[in-house]
Amino acid sequence: MQFFAIFAFATCGGYSGQLRVSVDCMEKASSNLSIGIDFFYPFRLHQVSFEAPVCEGMRRERVFLIGDYSSSAEFFVTIAVFAFLYSLMATTVYIFFQNKYRENSRGPLIDFVVTVVFSFMWLVSSSAWAKALSDVKLATDPDEVQLLISACKVQTNKCGSVHGPRWSGLNTSVVFGFLNFVLWAGNIWFVFKETSWHKGASRLAAGASEKQAGTFNQQPYNQSSFDQAGNYSSQGNLGQLSEYSQVGGPTSYSNQM
């Protein structure tokens, strides 16, 4: 998971883009056919400015882009950095201190809670950054930037876009963000299996199954006891009948006499 976290914050935190627009004034001397506008992480676009011709002599104006998307971008990069550091530390513990990790029940519980928290944070940060990225694309669209230039509002002047920014790096960062969420969420079950909660539930289930097995094994013994008791009672009844017949025989014979 360390590599996916690295790709997530590297593709976002290391981004820089550029777009170019052109302003063709009626007075050709005032025209500027290649106005470069650079922007970069953390995408505080309201601080990004460029100079554009006013198409009135040699006058220039300073134009600022619109929007501040630094909170979503910085939140995404922060989660990615901390997730990388924690996964690196957890990997070190698993490799070199596995015995102590298993002996102490507190370690797996902390690992489980942290994994759940990071899974949720990856989902929130990736969703927020995906929304912010769509807004950044709209704010840096050359057609939208032209609307900020006063000379482009005059019909006699012609404005156009030379080229727009490349978004492959930032699109990749969003993909890696959601991929990290899937990896961390899928790891929850494996971490939960190491906790005392899962082990305690397993012991209870094993104890219940052993009790059921013991009860089932005792049933033939109880049945044999019942059969022996039945035989004893039947033998007793037969003995009483024989005694009764022995006593009753001579009595009936004396009555006949």
Side-chain angles (χ1 to χ4, degrees), residues 95-116:
I95 295 175
F96 298 103
F97 305 99
Q98 187 174 10
N99 294 331
K100 294 183 178 180
Y101 175 81
R102 294 180 179 274
E103 291 175 357
N104 189 1
S105 61
R106 186 176 298 178
L109 289 178
I110 295 174
D111 193 14
F112 172 72
V113 173
V114 173
T115 302
V116 172

Side-chain angles (χ1 to χ4, degrees), residues 4-24:
F4 294 100
I6 291 173
F7 291 144
F9 71 74
T11 51
C12 179
Y15 178 83
S16 62
Q18 185 187 71
L19 67 146
R20 288 188 176 274
V21 296
S22 63
V23 179
D24 189 8

Side-chain angles (χ1 to χ4, degrees), residues 11-252:
T11 51
C12 179
Y15 178 83
S16 62
Q18 185 187 71
L19 67 146
R20 288 188 176 274
V21 296
S22 63
V23 179
D24 189 8
C25 304
M26 287 188 64
E27 299 178 2
K28 300 300 182 181
S30 301
S31 300
N32 190 343
L33 302 181
S34 181
I35 302 174
I37 306 170
D38 299 321
F39 63 97
F40 44 84
Y41 173 85
F43 308 104
R44 295 187 176 94
L45 299 184
H46 66 286
Q47 297 178 356
V48 177
S49 64
F50 61 95
E51 289 187 353
V54 184
C55 294
E56 294 178 0
M58 300 301 295
R59 290 178 52 196
R60 303 279 177 178
E61 67 173 347
R62 181 164 294 276
V63 182
F64 289 84
L65 298 181
I66 299 175
D68 183 7
Y69 309 99
S70 59
S71 59
S72 298
E74 290 175 344
F75 178 52
F76 178 79
V77 171
T78 301
I79 295 299
V81 171
F82 278 104
F84 165 73
L85 294 177
Y86 179 78
S87 61
L88 185 62
M89 181 187 68
T91 302
T92 304
V93 172
Y94 294 155
I95 295 175
F96 298 103
F97 305 99
Q98 187 174 10
N99 294 331
K100 294 183 178 180
Y101 175 81
R102 294 180 179 274
E103 291 175 357
N104 189 1
S105 61
R106 186 176 298 178
L109 289 178
I110 295 174
D111 193 14
F112 172 72
V113 173
V114 173
T115 302
V116 172
V117 171
F118 268 114
S119 300
F120 177 74
M121 288 301 179
W122 271 117
L123 178 62
V124 174
S125 62
S126 298
S127 301
W129 171 231
K131 175 62 172 61
L133 178 57
S134 64
D135 295 336
V136 171
K137 290 180 179 180
L138 181 62
T140 55
D141 185 2
D143 294 333
E144 295 293 330
V145 174
Q146 293 173 28
L147 301 177
L148 303 175
I149 302 174
S150 58
C152 296
K153 300 176 183 179
V154 180
Q155 296 182 353
T156 55
N157 301 322
K158 296 180 180 180
C159 298
S161 60
V162 179
H163 68 77
R166 296 181 179 180
W167 302 110
S168 58
L170 295 182
N171 291 335
T172 304
S173 69
V174 173
V175 173
F176 277 112
F178 285 105
L179 182 59
N180 274 283
F181 161 69
V182 172
L183 291 175
W184 281 82
N187 196 40
I188 291 177
W189 167 247
F190 298 100
V191 178
F192 177 72
K193 289 174 64 177
E194 300 295 330
T195 61
S196 58
W197 296 337
H198 180 267
K199 293 179 180 179
S202 300
R203 291 172 183 173
L204 290 175
S209 61
E210 289 178 357
K211 289 181 179 179
Q212 292 179 357
T215 303
F216 179 78
N217 293 330
Q218 289 176 359
Q219 287 181 356
Y221 174 78
N222 294 334
Q223 185 68 26
S224 62
S225 299
F226 177 77
D227 293 339
Q228 292 177 2
N231 292 332
Y232 293 154
S233 61
S234 61
Q235 290 176 5
N237 292 333
L238 291 176
Q240 291 178 358
L241 289 175
S242 63
E243 292 177 358
Y244 176 77
S245 60
Q246 290 175 2
V247 174
T251 304
S252 61

